[in-house]
Amino acid sequence: AAPVPSDGTAGFHITESADGGSFTLVSPDVATCEDCLRELRDPGDRRFRYPFITCTNCGPRYTITKKVPYDRPTTTMEAFTMCPECLGEYTDPTNRRFHSVPNACPACGPSVRLLSGGLSLPGDEAVGEAVRLLQRGSILAVKGLGGFHLACNARDALAVERLRERKRRSNKPFALMARDLEAVRRFCHVTEAEEDLLRSPARPIVLLRKRPGCALPEAISPANARLGFMLPYTPLHEIIMEGLELAVMSSGNRADEPIQIDGEEAGEALRDIAEGFLVHDREIFMRTDDSVAACPRGCGGPVFIRRARGYAPAPIALTKGGPEVLGAGADIKNTFTLLKDDQAVVSQHIGDMENAETLGFFEEALRNLSSVYRAAPAAIAHDLHPGYFSTRWALRQRGCRLVPVQHHHAHVASVMAEWGLEGPVIGAALDGAGYGTDGTLWGGEFLVAEGPGFRRAGHFCPLRLPGGEQAVREPWRVAAAWVGEVMGEDAEEHLAELGFFDRYGEKRVRSVLRISTLPEFSPLSSGAGRLFDAVSALLGLCDLNTFEGEAPMALEARVEPGVGDAYPFGILPGDPFRVDFSGALIRIIGDMRAGTGVGVVAARLHNTVAAAVLAAVEAVSAAAGLRVVALSGGSFQNEHLLASVRAGLEARGLAAYHNRSVPLNDGGVSLGQAWVARAVLRAERT
């Protein structure tokens, strides 16, 4: 490293910050440290039970930062003048709170208040009453670090069901906060890697396997083999959880809207859900939801489901620099990415771009991070889908080069960006759907990717989606159309025997079979997610996707361990080749007729898809002479699939890489878009 230039003074000292215009990093928020926790629990300490205790080693960072440099006047702590004791700590180089920007105490810092049923209670009284309300079954909106949570007692089935009904959450799992790791272990298996992740300073929600006979209400995580647990990460959470073993801590928002951060706005938005509000007066400048991660076995470490609090906006190091570029991301699980120098700054989870509120959050976060990192993108990369909010937003921008990037190319490129892979590589991108270069819906893709370009070497045989988007919501339609295509004239007989006529009505099933033959009403999709959808519906596990991936998750939850065989599949020659699962469908129907257990069928289907991916990758490897494989896409969040494919590739001597720094799902697409756009600009300049 280059030596730091001297200013002519002797010794070490901290001077007032100045805006030098350089690339300055903003730290993610950090969970309360052990030193602060000891003081929080010490009746003799002046910060005993103070909900905003912090020091230089912990506490809020990104969520309170208005601009850089990170100093008291440039954060939301500017509103609080330190008392003499806090100021003494802040200016004492020997003190743990030396230059701790959020430093405060009960005499001079932020405070909490409970608003419930006409009551307005301050301080410790507010927190104590909030705990009593939760214990008695109330739903509270709790203002935390990066936004509000909707909280209730996780042991209270009626409270959980009431929260689900009021939030219109359907079957999407709720997140849980546990008092300590021992409480988590009572309900879930916890590996050493999962324990490390739970206890890490980032404190994400970690997806864990339920223990047999888990005694928690089914409404927390319906038809799901996992629970999402986190440990307390703020002093306020620590105090609340002293009185509760477990609490639901769901994002404090209305359906499909960003998490609430302002007390008055939350009071309006959440008044029909919450029965009380535990608020505080420290402003949240940048809303940030909880991160979600998992530790799939045999996959080399944790993977993100959602990257946000505790991680964003920490940059991802790239192997080389280049022009500044913005990746606008996808519409589901949106993030955006700014490339500056040799760093990729990926935003926190924005959400699904379905409304003006989420688009407003996107623009709010983009303005903030562009300002903080002084980014002025020379190009904006966007998805090919003309209907995406993110695409339409990009097309409205003026004075900036636009670079369209195919969805699955972006998935593969995100892995290349993370791992410094220049290519060419074999890309296996499996997800629900993405707009293809031919105008059809792709999703089970085998690409050869290098720099700015790619070639589609192969894909899953497409399935019909009767009714288009309606078939994505109602996967039984995909199943019926697939049976119709494979079984021909015998389709109705098979569907009747499989119970489709009883469940959906004979007239309705026949109507779906008819429209499945009409291309104008039944678009084709090669999406891997649609294949899992169809089998989940065939087995009667899920016939309605109330949230993205529900049917595949229900199918994965039923996989029976120890099943090693698979169904037949074929690879149909061509350019691109096609992976045909019609043989698997015939055998699945046979198994169902024979009374084979659902868990065995689910396991065989997963083994089949893994075997098909391996065969397809081997075909590309043999034809192109490539030995490096990049795995990405939401379907690889399926632990069984990811672990099986990785193990198979390594057994064949192929180098396997998958997303680790960004989610495998569409939350990682923006990184790939930006990486491709930079490669395009770089290629044009050479």
Side-chain angles (χ1 to χ4, degrees):
V4 177
S6 171
D7 64 357
T9 59
F12 173 81
H13 62 281
I14 294 179
T15 62
E16 291 296 319
S17 297
D19 187 348
S22 60
F23 182 64
T24 306
L25 302 182
V26 177
S27 298
D29 302 282
V30 184
T32 313
C33 70
E34 289 299 321
D35 288 331
C36 284
L37 287 177
R38 278 192 291 272
E39 294 172 348
L40 182 73
R41 296 163 182 157
D42 180 2
D45 192 279
R46 71 189 187 94
R47 292 188 176 90
F48 175 57
R49 291 179 63 82
Y50 180 54
F52 304 95
I53 188 170
T54 185
C55 70
T56 53
N57 300 319
C58 65
R61 302 287 193 270
Y62 176 49
T63 51
I64 64 170
T65 301
K66 294 180 177 181
K67 60 181 181 179
V68 293
Y70 174 68
D71 275 335
R72 187 96 168 189
T74 61
T75 71
T76 62
M77 288 300 296
E78 179 187 20
F80 303 95
T81 301
M82 281 183 278
C83 66
E85 285 184 274
C86 286
L87 186 60
E89 294 168 334
Y90 185 81
T91 55
D92 179 1
T94 66
N95 194 284
R96 195 174 90 250
R97 294 187 168 90
F98 181 51
H99 278 264
S100 171
V101 167
N103 190 35
C105 75
C108 65
S111 60
V112 296
R113 182 165 291 275
L114 177 69
L115 308 172
S116 175
L119 293 176
S120 177
L121 302 177
D124 200 43
E125 187 181 358
V127 181
E129 181 60 20
V131 171
R132 285 189 288 274
L133 288 172
L134 290 170
Q135 290 170 337
R136 294 198 292 262
S138 292
I139 298 169
L140 297 185
V142 180
K143 185 177 180 181
L145 189 64
F148 274 81
H149 283 121
L150 285 165
C152 71
N153 185 349
R155 292 282 212 164
D156 189 327
L158 293 177
V160 175
E161 289 166 4
R162 197 164 74 255
L163 175 57
R164 186 169 291 285
E165 179 182 350
R166 290 182 181 180
K167 199 178 177 186
R168 301 174 189 170
R169 185 65 177 246
S170 301
N171 295 326
K172 192 173 184 181
F174 283 138
L176 295 171
M177 181 174 284
R179 178 188 301 156
D180 50 35
L181 191 61
E182 288 65 36
V184 178
R185 290 191 188 279
R186 279 194 279 277
F187 304 99
C188 289
H189 299 286
V190 183
T191 66
E192 184 177 346
E194 290 163 344
E195 177 179 342
D196 290 344
L197 192 55
L198 281 164
R199 291 184 183 276
S200 70
R203 291 287 167 90
I205 298 166
V206 181
L207 301 185
L208 305 169
R209 290 182 177 274
K210 293 179 183 176
R211 287 190 178 276
C214 176
L216 291 177
E218 178 65 15
I220 291 174
S221 185
N224 198 309
R226 296 177 182 274
L227 290 169
F229 267 106
M230 60 181 158
L231 295 177
Y233 57 86
T234 71
L236 180 58
H237 291 136
E238 293 282 352
I239 299 169
I240 290 172
M241 298 311 296
E242 287 176 2
L244 288 171
E245 181 187 34
L246 300 174
V248 168
M249 286 284 181
S250 179
S251 299
N253 58 348
R254 290 187 296 201
D256 304 323
E257 291 186 1
I259 189 171
Q260 293 291 327
I261 60 172
D262 178 80
E264 289 187 13
E265 291 180 3
E268 179 64 27
L270 306 178
R271 64 180 179 179
D272 295 332
I273 304 174
E275 292 145 358
F277 290 78
L278 186 62
V279 299
H280 62 74
D281 55 355
R282 186 179 68 201
E283 179 190 353
I284 298 170
F285 183 71
M286 187 48 56
R287 74 189 78 212
T288 308
D289 219 326
D290 294 314
S291 294
V292 184
C295 295
R297 290 152 178 78
C299 296
V303 297
F304 284 109
I305 310 300
R306 184 168 76 197
R307 183 180 183 270
R309 176 193 51 77
Y311 298 97
I316 297 166
L318 305 176
T319 54
K320 62 175 68 172
E324 293 184 12
V325 172
L326 167 67
D331 263 22
I332 303 296
K333 298 177 174 62
N334 178 268
T335 64
F336 62 81
T337 295
L338 290 164
L339 297 192
K340 186 176 178 71
D341 301 334
D342 60 350
Q343 305 287 328
V345 179
V346 183
S347 75
Q348 69 270 43
H349 170 80
I350 302 295
D352 296 349
M353 302 279 277
E354 298 177 338
N355 49 48
E357 290 81 5
T358 309
L359 181 59
F361 176 27
F362 172 95
E363 293 179 326
E364 168 190 286
L366 178 58
R367 282 193 302 271
N368 177 253
L369 285 177
S370 296
S371 172
V372 165
Y373 288 107
R374 300 177 178 86
I380 299 175
H382 62 84
D383 198 272
L384 294 184
H385 200 304
Y388 271 9
F389 271 76
S390 53
T391 299
R392 284 148 53 189
W393 176 87
L395 295 176
R396 290 196 300 270
Q397 308 312 303
R398 296 290 178 262
C400 197
R401 167 76 181 278
L402 298 179
V403 181
V405 181
Q406 199 279 323
H407 187 86
H408 301 96
H409 183 202
H411 267 305
V412 173
S414 70
V415 181
M416 299 174 74
E418 274 192 54
W419 292 94
L421 307 176
E422 291 299 321
V425 304
I426 303 167
L430 305 187
D431 65 3
Y435 198 79
T437 55
D438 59 0
T440 66
L441 297 174
W442 295 6
E445 306 304 313
F446 302 95
L447 312 178
V448 174
E450 180 178 16
F454 78 97
R455 175 174 63 85
R456 191 188 195 194
H459 59 86
F460 285 6
C461 281
L463 301 177
R464 288 284 178 190
L465 307 182
E469 283 297 318
Q470 193 171 358
V472 177
R473 290 189 297 273
E474 301 178 10
W476 70 267
R477 291 170 170 265
V478 185
W482 192 22
V483 172
E485 180 182 357
V486 174
M487 297 302 188
E489 294 180 356
D490 297 329
E492 288 190 15
E493 177 186 342
H494 288 294
L495 290 170
E497 189 173 348
L498 293 171
F500 273 53
F501 284 6
D502 293 335
R503 293 203 295 271
Y504 314 114
E506 184 175 340
K507 182 178 179 181
R508 198 173 175 207
V509 173
R510 284 178 171 160
S511 174
V512 166
L513 287 173
R514 280 196 300 274
I515 67 172
S516 70
T517 64
L518 305 174
E520 62 270 31
F521 298 115
S522 300
L524 290 168
S525 170
S526 62
R530 302 293 80 84
L531 176 67
F532 286 109
D533 274 353
V535 177
S536 187
L538 281 171
L539 294 174
L541 298 176
C542 181
D543 53 13
L544 179 66
N545 275 319
T546 64
F547 64 91
E548 190 199 21
E550 181 175 358
M553 287 168 66
L555 185 65
E556 182 188 5
R558 297 298 295 272
V559 169
E560 186 168 313
V563 177
D565 57 328
Y567 295 121
F569 65 89
I571 294 188
L572 308 179
D575 188 14
F577 63 76
R578 290 165 296 150
V579 183
D580 179 21
F581 292 100
S582 57
L585 174 62
I586 293 169
R587 289 281 298 277
I588 289 169
I589 292 174
D591 271 356
M592 293 176 68
R593 279 178 164 170
T596 303
V598 168
V600 174
V601 177
R604 287 173 176 165
L605 186 277
H606 279 76
N607 295 343
T608 304
V609 175
V613 170
L614 292 171
V617 168
E618 282 192 295
V620 179
S621 176
L626 302 176
R627 308 293 295 173
V628 177
V629 185
L631 309 172
S632 190
S635 293
F636 278 119
Q637 290 176 162
N638 183 313
E639 179 179 330
H640 189 94
L641 181 62
L642 180 61
S644 297
V645 170
R646 274 186 56 96
L649 291 173
E650 290 165 0
R652 289 161 174 77
L654 298 171
Y657 297 88
H658 66 268
N659 295 112
R660 291 278 304 278
S661 299
V662 295
L664 285 151
N665 60 43
D666 282 5
V669 161
S670 64
L671 173 61
Q673 290 173 339
W675 191 87
V676 170
R678 177 178 272 187
V680 168
L681 297 183
R682 191 183 290 122
E684 290 175 349
R685 294 176 183 181
T686 57

